[in-house]
Amino acid sequence: MNDTELIIIGSGPAGVSAAEAFRQHNHDGRVQIVTDDAALPYERPPLSKEFLRGDAEPGDAELHPAQWFDENNIELVRTTGVEHIDPARHQLTAAGIRHSYRSLVLACGAKPSGFPVRGGEKALQLRSMADAQALRKAATKAGAAVVVGAGFIGCEAAASLAMRGVATTLVAPDPVPQAKRLGDEAGERIKRLVADAGARYVGSAHVSEVTDEAVHLDNGTRIDCDLVLAATGVTPQSDLAANAGIDTRDGRIVVDARMRTSVDNVYAAGDVALAYNSLADRPVAVEHWQDAMDQGALAGAAAAGRDGEWDAIPGFWTTIGEATLKYHAWGDGFDRARLIEHSGGFTAWYEARGVTVGVLTFNADDDYDRGEKLIRDRKPIPF
């Protein structure tokens, strides 16, 4: 049994950020990051872009070099998984071994959602470095690919595969990508960016079957291919917390603005968390890289006895082919959208109940910064 000041479950951005923040305030306590990922902690955004295109290698995505963890006395504990948490005893069990902790950060992240169609198990996923390596290897031999799902990961991956010279089709249920999330006009612009990268978009379609040679759609269409990627969303890994009696809601771990769960000395951050945002004055679920890092830093600092609140406006950048989009939004809907064309780009503004709740930009950095301020100040969209 190990006595550890802080144990973090998960080696993604939230977990590593938590360890880094804790170490900044507590130089001596033992810190362990428990993970079932064999790779050195890495960034995920490059996996669907530079790495998939062959423009980067695994080391280029590392969050820190190996010596950084040694220099900061942060142990990486690789295991087959955590089986149980006992908050009353301040213990967890991983691979049959019990570990004691003073504080615990749950940065368990999310896993790819199932692809429940006949033959769906033949499709590749893209979440881990191991997934990315398998996908890139398959792409070197593929003549044609189908990407299922037109979220940002699906759009990025489809564009990257096409840029590799693979004939790529992006299949999704919406007429244009992300129509429900971003509106029809913005979705149409994203569809054009996917096409500019060389991929074909097939909307208003659902996959009914995957075979070794093709993807079959529910409208009778057959798309021949030798590579299929299911980019159909992720599911937060909150079962470990729920089974330990920690409050969850909608499949996520409920935390306050300081990342504290319902159990003393247990924190959660990143994709698995439903965190209270003090600026929005409500819980907000996010699956963005920067927000995971921000929340992880707050959790690690809180475990070290420091105060801080999550009040950032969620947001991220995405690159589809050669085009970079920037997005700030609360992510829970809008009742008015306005898209403004610019020379070489556009800005989509989103409003709900008379105040700005989101902005999406392409080649309009001033609007991106302006949008963040309008959201923070609860002002109307400017048009």
Side-chain angles (χ1 to χ4, degrees):
M1 185 181 298
N2 299 319
D3 294 318
T4 304
E5 187 75 11
L6 174 65
I7 293 181
I8 300 159
I9 301 176
S11 59
V16 173
S17 183
E20 188 169 2
F22 181 86
R23 186 55 82 214
Q24 288 174 353
H25 302 296
N26 184 319
H27 303 291
D28 302 317
R30 188 180 187 187
V31 177
Q32 293 181 320
I33 298 176
V34 178
T35 178
D36 60 2
D37 197 323
L40 200 65
Y42 52 87
E43 300 179 7
R44 283 196 177 90
L47 301 186
S48 56
K49 300 187 284 289
E50 297 92 342
F51 185 82
L52 179 54
R53 295 197 300 266
D55 297 332
E57 296 304 319
D60 298 325
E62 291 172 357
L63 285 167
H64 295 290
Q67 62 266 28
W68 180 88
F69 295 91
D70 294 334
E71 291 167 356
N72 287 276
N73 194 22
I74 296 170
E75 303 172 50
L76 290 173
V77 180
R78 292 184 172 87
T79 179
T80 54
V82 177
E83 294 99 40
H84 177 67
I85 299 171
D86 187 340
R89 291 185 172 87
H90 284 213
Q91 293 178 353
L92 63 83
T93 303
I97 300 173
R98 286 188 297 167
H99 302 258
S100 294
Y101 60 83
R102 180 180 178 276
S103 296
L104 177 68
V105 173
L106 302 174
C108 315
K111 61 182 178 181
S113 301
F115 187 34
V117 302
R118 187 165 52 186
E121 71 281 355
K122 300 177 187 296
L124 298 177
Q125 304 280 356
L126 182 54
R127 183 67 178 175
S128 67
M129 177 61 74
D131 292 338
Q133 290 172 319
L135 177 61
R136 189 165 84 167
K137 182 179 179 180
T140 62
K141 299 178 288 185
V146 171
V147 177
V148 184
F152 284 117
I153 297 300
C155 290
E156 291 170 359
S160 295
L161 287 167
M163 292 170 74
R164 287 188 65 110
V166 180
T168 303
T169 302
L170 179 60
V171 176
D174 290 331
V176 295
Q178 304 189 58
K180 294 183 179 67
R181 181 184 196 180
L182 301 172
D184 291 336
E185 287 187 286
E188 180 61 41
R189 300 312 189 280
I190 293 173
K191 178 181 174 181
R192 293 180 195 172
L193 296 178
V194 169
D196 289 345
R200 178 173 69 115
Y201 182 78
V202 175
S204 303
H206 294 81
V207 174
S208 59
E209 183 181 7
V210 177
T211 66
D212 290 335
E213 300 85 18
V215 165
H216 300 265
L217 307 184
D218 58 357
N219 60 10
T221 300
R222 170 190 168 117
I223 306 174
D224 292 332
C225 61
D226 41 18
L227 187 160
V228 181
L229 172 65
T232 49
V234 296
T235 301
Q237 299 190 81
S238 61
D239 287 351
L240 194 63
N243 292 338
I246 298 169
D247 285 353
T248 62
R249 187 192 314 163
D250 299 328
R252 299 178 189 269
I253 303 170
V254 177
V255 296
D256 65 11
R258 294 175 172 81
M259 305 301 120
R260 298 177 298 190
T261 71
S262 60
V263 173
D264 289 343
N265 297 317
V266 179
Y267 308 85
D271 293 0
V272 77
L274 178 61
Y276 188 88
N277 186 291
S278 59
L279 177 63
D281 196 25
R282 65 181 184 276
V284 177
V286 293
E287 295 174 355
H288 308 326
W289 183 261
Q290 185 59 54
D291 298 298
M293 293 188 70
D294 292 346
Q295 291 181 2
L298 287 167
R306 300 303 177 99
D307 287 333
E309 291 189 353
W310 186 45
D311 62 356
I313 299 167
F316 63 94
W317 297 8
T318 179
T319 302
I320 301 171
E322 301 293 344
T324 297
L325 304 178
K326 301 181 181 182
Y327 182 60
H328 270 307
W330 293 122
D332 50 4
F334 57 91
D335 54 36
R336 180 186 174 212
R338 180 79 186 276
L339 189 140
I340 306 298
E341 297 278 7
H342 305 298
S343 175
F346 65 84
T347 300
W349 298 96
Y350 302 96
E351 188 179 81
R353 297 172 295 279
V355 301
T356 305
V357 294
V359 62
L360 173 73
T361 65
F362 172 43
N363 288 340
D365 288 350
D366 288 347
D367 280 349
Y368 179 71
D369 295 335
R370 183 185 185 188
E372 182 181 18
K373 188 175 189 306
L374 290 172
I375 296 170
R376 182 171 294 278
D377 293 343
R378 295 182 170 89
K379 299 293 187 181
I381 63 174
F383 298 97

